[in-house]
């Protein structure tokens, strides 16, 4: 049975997950997600990939507990789950988790593997693995430590308690809490802007951010290299001259910067 339904429009691919009864992360689901993510490697038309769930209550429950054992098959499935997390993190496209339900354990790790994550009042996040005698297996503890710091991460991992979307935003588990009633309009605006960019723009900023988190100096050097390369491009010169023509570097910038950008884009698209 296929667990993914995929549609694509305007540079945005939407992946709907449906693995009844409760969207457990089974080996079949892992294999499907891996195959889809790897198929995007040379895709320059798709800029954004949105992951959402068809289930009313669960985004992704957790890793299938039937593979948490010492058998060769169980160990292999657990390693494939780890590979899936790494594959999502390595995507050129902007990956987005749209969470309108429960995401615990591997589900929470899936959300944190995505570049952006937006969650509604129906969402819940947790890493409760300690209560079944295992640590996190998809970088949950690693991400909690990096996002929360030592004390908050330790408390969250030892308690394994749920966080609401509002709490998850404050702890940096997710990007932003968005009320369900406002989600469609929010995504249309936010993803509309991102999907209008070139895939190389997304890759550029992903590389700068990744380098900067590891090493500030290396990030600064990579940023300058990209800056000097882009400054030489004909595309850059054309955009800047049109931007200045429409009021860039004048008083108009104070209150209508977006208007200047819109007028610039409109002229360049003719």
């Amino acid at each position: 049975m296929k667990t993914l339904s995929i549609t694509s429009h305007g540079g945005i691919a939407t992946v709907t997950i449906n693995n009844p009864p409760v969207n457990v992360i089974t080996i079949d689901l892992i294999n499907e997600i891996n195959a889809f993510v790897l198929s995007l490697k040379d895709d320059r038309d798709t800029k954004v990939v949105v992951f959402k769930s068809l289930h009313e209550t669960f985004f992704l429950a957790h890793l299938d507990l039937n593979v948490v054992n010492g058998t060769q098959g169980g160990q292999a499935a657990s390693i494939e789950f780890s590979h899936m997390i790494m594959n999502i993190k390595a995507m050129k496209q902007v990956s987005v988790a749209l969470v309108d339900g429960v995401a615990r354990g591997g589900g929470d790790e899936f959300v944190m593997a995505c570049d952006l994550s937006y969650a509604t009042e129906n969402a819940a996040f947790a890493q409760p693995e300690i209560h079944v005698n295992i640590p996190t297996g998809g970088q949950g503890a690693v991400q909690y430590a990096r996002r929360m710091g030592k004390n908050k991460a330790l408390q969250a991992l030892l308690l394994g308690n749920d966080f609401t979307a509002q709490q998850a935003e404050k702890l940096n588990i997710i990007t932003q809490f968005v009320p369900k009633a406002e989600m469609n309009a929010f995504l249309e605006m936010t993803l509309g802007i991102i999907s209008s960019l070139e895939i190389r723009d997304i890759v550029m900023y992903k590389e700068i951010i990744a380098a900067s988190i590891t090493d500030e100096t290396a990030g600064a050097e990579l940023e300058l290299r990209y800056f000097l390369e882009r400054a030489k491009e004909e595309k850059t010169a054309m955009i800047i001259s049109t931007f200045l023509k429409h009021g860039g570097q004048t008083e108009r910038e104070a209150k209508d910067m977006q208007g200047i950008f819109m007028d610039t884009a409109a002229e360049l698209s003719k």
Side-chain angles (χ1 to χ4, degrees), residues 69-140:
N69 55 47
T71 68
Q72 192 172 356
Q75 299 279 294
S78 298
I79 291 168
E80 279 307 302
F81 168 67
S82 177
H83 288 165
M84 181 190 78
I85 296 295
M86 290 188 283
N87 287 337
I88 293 169
K89 290 174 70 176
M91 289 170 64
K92 288 178 180 166
Q93 294 79 8
V94 174
S95 53
V96 181
L98 173 52
V99 189
D100 187 38
V102 174
R104 296 192 186 101
D108 190 34
E109 290 168 322
F110 185 102
V111 171
M112 291 190 289
C114 291
D115 297 311
L116 304 173
S117 47
Y118 305 113
T120 72
E121 59 274 17
N122 300 322
F125 304 89
Q127 295 291 165
E129 286 86 348
I130 196 68
H131 299 303
V132 290
N133 199 43
I134 54 172
T136 54
Q139 304 183 23

Side-chain angles (χ1 to χ4, degrees), residues 235-255:
K235 177 181 177 179
T236 304
M238 193 181 303
I239 292 172
I240 288 174
S241 66
T242 310
F243 178 80
L244 293 172
K245 173 182 166 184
H246 286 285
Q249 296 187 179
T250 71
E251 286 291 327
R252 187 182 176 190
E253 278 195 13
K255 294 183 179 178

Side-chain angles (χ1 to χ4, degrees), residues 25 36 56-57 64 108 165 167 214 261:
I25 304 172
F36 171 70
E56 287 186 3
T57 312
D64 182 4
D108 190 34
Q167 290 170 323
T214 306
F261 281 133

Side-chain angles (χ1 to χ4, degrees), residues 132-162:
V132 290
N133 199 43
I134 54 172
T136 54
Q139 304 183 23
V142 176
Q143 291 301 321
Y144 271 24
R146 291 172 69 84
R147 294 163 188 241
M148 300 180 192
K150 177 186 173 181
N151 56 352
K152 284 185 172 63
L154 187 60
Q155 176 175 277
L157 293 163
L158 293 178
L159 293 180
N161 56 300
D162 279 1

